[in-house]
Amino acid sequence: MLEITGLHKSFAGFVAVNEVSLTVAERQIVAVIGPNGAGKSTFFNLITGHLRPDGGRVMLNGRDVTGIAPHRICALGMGRSFQLTNIFPRLTVFENVQAALLAHRGKGRDFLSRAEAMFRDETMALLASIGLASQAGTVAGVLAYGNQKQLELGIALASDPKVLLLDEPTAGMSANETHETIALLERIAEQRGLTLLFTEHDMEVVFRIAHKIAVLYQGRKLAEGAPEEVRANADVRRVYLGGHA
Ligand SMILES: Nc1ncnc2c1ncn2[C@@H]1O[C@H](COP(=O)(O)OP(=O)(O)OP(=O)(O)O)[C@@H](O)[C@H]1O
Ligand SMILES: [Mg+2]
């Protein structure tokens, strides 16, 4: 589904992502872990087109998408969420998801129909699937933090992605919110046959849901493998897991 080869990016001479390769199979759940500043978000931004790589290649489902615009990559089936949320805080929960559906499929819409009615059933169905149906009328900015991240997932799902990249989906959440979000992600991935690539600092989450783990350290890929292999890797324990698992 994703074949990343030798991805490279430097900022004014500082190498943030150094020749990183990674393969993600269809329906696989892959975690990218590593200490703060390891290059995880930069790596994701290179994959989704939000940053242009200096070198390397990104293949999505057999198609070269290296360096093309984020909205085009999105249209080809790659969704994402951000480390900090990316919702419209003054719109309602309903309007946030509706706007995302319109942005993705709104072409050729009937301008005579009332905005509110557009994609109403689909919006409600999507909200139900992410557990936010009862909050449809709530202004997004006042939602609990965990619910805002859930809403962001809903916005990402509106483009009907095959692959979803999630940058710290549980960052800033309480233990309870983390638990609910992970259960939700597992359920949605299963229902939709999604391929997931995510970064996460919570090692309990990582070791519970990842089929494969890649470890970044100072921009380089330090290790990659099944969770148990990575947990046992001496280099990984030394630079990262020592304090985490
Ligand atoms: N636009 C930029 N300009 C200059 N340096 C940058 C830029 N973006 C990231 N960096 C640097 O690149 C390195 C990797 O940053 P990145 O945000 O990818 O790390 P990360 O692994 O996501 O960290 P965290 O776990 O804290 O989210 C850091 O040293 C960061 O300061
Ligand atoms: Mg980051």
Side-chain angles (χ1 to χ4, degrees):
M1 183 59 66
L2 260 184
E3 194 174 355
I4 297 152
T5 324
L7 217 49
H8 198 85
K9 179 73 180 178
S10 55
F11 299 108
F14 171 81
V15 183
V17 172
N18 201 341
E19 306 288 335
V20 177
S21 300
L22 184 66
T23 303
V24 182
E26 188 171 2
R27 286 176 168 254
Q28 204 172 27
I29 299 182
V30 177
V32 177
I33 65 171
N36 294 116
K40 305 179 297 294
S41 293
T42 305
F43 182 56
F44 275 25
N45 287 332
L46 295 171
I47 297 169
T48 57
H50 291 81
L51 281 174
R52 188 180 282 271
D54 301 327
R57 199 178 61 172
V58 180
M59 301 286 287
L60 170 64
N61 222 347
R63 184 169 180 158
D64 191 341
V65 297
T66 317
I68 74 173
H71 70 275
R72 286 187 54 211
I73 297 189
C74 181
L76 292 169
M78 193 190 296
R80 77 165 298 171
S81 75
F82 292 84
Q83 190 164 347
L84 302 168
T85 57
N86 195 38
I87 60 175
F88 293 112
R90 287 165 185 263
L91 296 187
T92 64
V93 167
F94 179 91
E95 288 163 343
N96 265 276
V97 168
Q98 182 194 37
L101 283 167
L102 273 167
H104 187 65
R105 282 186 288 163
K107 289 191 194 91
R109 69 180 191 246
D110 173 8
F111 283 94
L112 296 176
S113 61
R114 288 174 56 225
E116 188 221 331
M118 288 180 199
F119 297 113
R120 180 191 285 153
D121 295 344
E122 277 166 285
T123 302
M124 285 313 295
L126 219 168
L127 288 177
S129 78
I130 56 168
L132 283 181
S134 65
Q135 313 243 46
T138 306
V139 172
V142 307
L143 288 175
Y145 184 71
N147 287 340
Q148 292 191 8
K149 298 282 275 192
Q150 259 169 289
L151 174 56
E152 195 181 2
L153 176 65
I155 292 169
L157 290 173
S159 68
D160 200 18
K162 293 284 289 169
V163 187
L164 199 51
L165 276 75
L166 304 166
D167 196 351
E168 300 198 22
T170 73
M173 288 188 181
S174 67
N176 222 1
E177 287 175 329
T178 296
H179 187 81
E180 279 173 22
T181 300
I182 292 309
L184 173 68
L185 272 178
E186 281 183 302
R187 182 160 50 78
I188 300 242
E190 174 66 30
Q191 277 170 359
R192 296 181 170 238
L194 285 177
T195 304
L196 285 185
L197 184 61
F198 73 107
T199 70
E200 183 60 65
H201 283 291
D202 184 334
M203 288 305 117
E204 231 180 276
V205 170
V206 168
F207 283 100
R208 199 167 108 217
I209 70 170
H211 303 144
K212 178 163 95 169
I213 299 175
V215 186
L216 292 189
Y217 180 62
Q218 296 181 349
R220 289 179 189 277
K221 190 173 75 182
L222 183 72
E224 176 185 344
E228 289 322 309
E229 286 172 66
V230 167
R231 203 202 286 271
N233 182 298
D235 289 333
V236 176
R237 299 200 72 84
R238 185 168 46 78
V239 305
Y240 190 52
L241 287 183
H244 288 82

